[in-house]
């Protein structure tokens, strides 16, 4: 079998030659050094500009070195891999910067006292106070929204996958798609209009209703995709044994897709946990502890962050409390995502559970 190289591979390429593993790291290090030199000579003060120059030099350097040693065809593959890594790093930089900034500024006042006390009579300009009332309000509001939105979303997805036929199913799918793109402020205004008609004052459950509206289309879409992944052979085998369709769904389809459904619900909860606009309209905020979501104004973590930052003017005790509350909210969302991943792995079909 002939192993002659194509003319497109370039002249001077050694047959069977390959780049050592450290070569790309050397190209990356050289690109960074050259980019820093160019930035200093050109007077570029932004590190972002230095990084973009280094990324461009890394891609060009990878192609040049690979084309010289391995040929143009392999060099194109190397460039594609380099572009993927560059895109990954560019996406990672803002995330790392956000987490680092939040942690470095949020740990200043984040302690046991901050987590176990409310603002009470503490003025926004004074040190002290905490976020216990906001944590309690967020947990109650998000919990009630989940209790409303998750069952409706799951049942809607079951209807669309298992029973949905004809115009009604098309209409439901259309409205689910429309609801997916509804801004959060619109959901808040919808509930606010009902409150004005019924002459109701702000209370926590009103915020839960708006959050449930935002949650339902996410649950429907994620659950629908998980149910579609269940093999039809499982359904047919159950029906062939004379088991009713509803019992097949309850005992076969849902347990098989339970991991994915739970993951979708958790992600939907994480999505609504940071919503501020509906809570600002409907819950109104409260510096004191209110454990009853069905009566009186309540606080929540997103609303607390907004109010503290609005009163801080970029400095002072309120500014530190806003960052500490932001760190708490990020930790809450991270825990939800970790729980979702754990449940998905635990209930994955490959585990044999």
């Amino acid at each position: 079998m002939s192993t002659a190289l194509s003319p497109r591979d370039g002249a001077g390429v050694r047959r069977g030659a390959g780049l050592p593993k450290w070569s790309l790291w050397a190209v990356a290090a050289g690109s960074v050094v050259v980019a820093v030199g160019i930035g200093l000579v050109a007077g570029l003060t932004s590190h972002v500009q230095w990084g973009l120059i280094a990324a461009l030099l890394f891609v060009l350097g990878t192609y040049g070195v690979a084309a010289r040693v391995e040929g143009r065809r392999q060099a194109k593959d190397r460039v594609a891999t380099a572009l993927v890594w560059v895109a990954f790093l560019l996406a990672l930089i803002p995330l790392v910067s956000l987490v680092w900034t939040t942690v470095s500024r949020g740990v200043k006042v984040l302690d046991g006292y901050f987590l176990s006390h409310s603002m009470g009579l503490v003025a926004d300009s004074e040190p002290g106070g905490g976020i216990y009332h906001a944590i309690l309000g967020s947990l109650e509001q998000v919990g009630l929204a989940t209790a409303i939105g998750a069952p409706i979303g799951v049942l809607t997805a079951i209807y669309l996958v298992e029973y949905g036929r004809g115009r009604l199913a098309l209409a439901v799918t259309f409205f689910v798609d429309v609801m997916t793109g509804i801004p959060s402020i619109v959901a808040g205004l919808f509930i606010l209009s009902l409150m004005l008609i019924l002459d109701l004052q702000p209370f926590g459950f009103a915020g839960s209703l708006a959050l449930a509206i935002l949650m339902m289309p996410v649950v429907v879409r994620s659950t629908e995709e998980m149910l579609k992944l269940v093999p039809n052979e499982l359904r047919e085998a159950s029906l062939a044994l004379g088991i009713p369709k509803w019992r097949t769904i309850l005992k076969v389809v849902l347990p098989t897709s339970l991991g994915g459904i739970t993951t979708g619900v958790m992600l939907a909860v994480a999505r609504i946990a940071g919503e501020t606009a509906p809570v600002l309209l409907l819950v109104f905020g409260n510096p004191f502890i209110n454990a009853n979501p069905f009566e009186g104004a309540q606080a929540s973590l997103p609303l607390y962050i907004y109010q503290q930052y609005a009163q801080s003017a970029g400095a002072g005790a309120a500014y530190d409390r806003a960052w500490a509350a932001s760190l708490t909210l990020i930790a809450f969302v991270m825990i939800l995502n970790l729980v979702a991943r754990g449940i998905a792995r635990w209930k994955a079909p490959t585990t044999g559970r």
Side-chain angles (χ1 to χ4, degrees):
M1 180 180 296
S2 174
T3 58
L5 295 175
S6 169
R8 285 187 167 185
D9 290 334
V13 178
R14 292 186 292 111
R15 186 175 301 173
L19 291 174
K21 294 182 179 180
W22 54 265
S23 60
L24 296 182
W25 291 102
V27 172
S31 301
V32 172
V33 172
V34 175
V36 172
I38 293 175
L40 293 176
V41 172
L44 302 177
T45 58
S46 175
H47 292 172
V48 176
Q49 294 174 323
W50 293 8
L52 294 176
I53 294 174
L56 179 61
L57 292 175
F58 174 67
V59 174
L60 296 177
T62 300
Y63 179 81
V65 172
R68 180 71 176 176
V69 178
E70 298 175 330
R72 296 180 181 177
R73 183 177 300 174
Q74 185 64 20
K76 294 178 181 179
D77 180 73
R78 296 276 189 182
V79 167
T81 304
L83 289 174
V84 171
W85 277 105
V86 168
F88 169 73
L89 292 176
L90 290 177
L92 192 64
I93 289 173
L95 176 62
V96 173
S97 176
L98 173 64
V99 173
W100 173 258
T101 302
T102 306
V103 171
S104 61
R105 296 182 177 181
V107 295
K108 293 181 180 179
V109 297
L110 184 60
D111 52 20
Y113 178 87
F114 182 73
L115 296 175
S116 59
H117 287 73
S118 66
M119 289 300 295
L121 298 176
V122 178
D124 292 332
S125 58
E126 298 177 353
I131 58 171
Y132 176 76
H133 62 301
I135 294 176
L136 181 63
S138 285
L139 290 177
E140 290 181 347
Q141 294 161 27
V142 172
L144 289 172
T146 304
I148 297 172
I152 295 176
V154 172
L155 292 175
T156 303
I158 291 175
Y159 165 75
L160 292 175
V161 176
E162 304 294 338
Y163 297 98
R165 299 293 184 274
R167 295 182 178 180
L168 180 59
L170 293 176
V172 172
T173 302
F174 172 76
F175 283 110
V176 168
D177 293 336
V178 172
M179 290 178 62
T180 304
I182 288 180
S184 59
I185 189 67
V186 175
L189 289 173
F190 172 70
I191 301 299
L192 180 61
S193 63
L194 296 180
M195 291 175 59
L196 294 176
I197 294 174
L198 300 175
D199 194 20
L200 299 176
Q201 297 299 318
F203 61 109
F205 185 65
S208 299
L209 294 176
L211 296 179
I213 293 175
L214 298 174
M215 182 182 185
M216 280 187 287
V218 179
V219 176
V220 171
R221 278 286 167 250
S222 60
T223 303
E224 187 178 0
E225 295 302 322
M226 291 301 104
L227 294 178
K228 288 179 179 178
L229 293 177
V230 178
N232 286 327
E233 288 78 6
L234 294 178
R235 298 180 176 87
E236 294 171 355
S238 178
L239 295 174
L241 294 175
I243 299 176
K245 187 176 182 63
W246 68 269
R247 194 171 182 84
T248 299
I249 296 172
L250 187 63
K251 295 294 185 179
V252 178
V253 178
L254 288 179
T256 305
S257 57
L258 182 61
I261 294 174
T262 306
T263 302
V265 172
M266 289 290 184
L267 294 178
V269 171
R271 191 260 184 185
I272 65 173
E275 291 292 344
T276 307
V279 180
L280 180 62
L281 288 175
L282 306 172
V283 181
F284 204 68
N286 190 349
F288 296 94
I289 298 174
N290 180 13
N292 185 4
F294 298 98
E295 182 180 359
Q298 265 192 326
S300 71
L301 280 174
L303 181 58
Y304 178 89
I305 296 168
Y306 169 76
Q307 291 175 336
Q308 291 296 310
Y309 189 81
Q311 297 294 329
S312 68
Y319 185 73
D320 295 334
R321 287 193 294 264
W323 279 107
S326 300
L327 180 58
T328 305
L329 182 59
I330 290 177
F332 175 69
V333 174
M334 183 184 67
I335 291 172
L336 285 179
N337 280 273
L338 292 177
V339 170
R341 289 180 177 272
I343 293 176
R345 180 172 296 182
W346 176 44
K347 290 296 183 179
T350 54
T351 62
R353 294 181 182 269

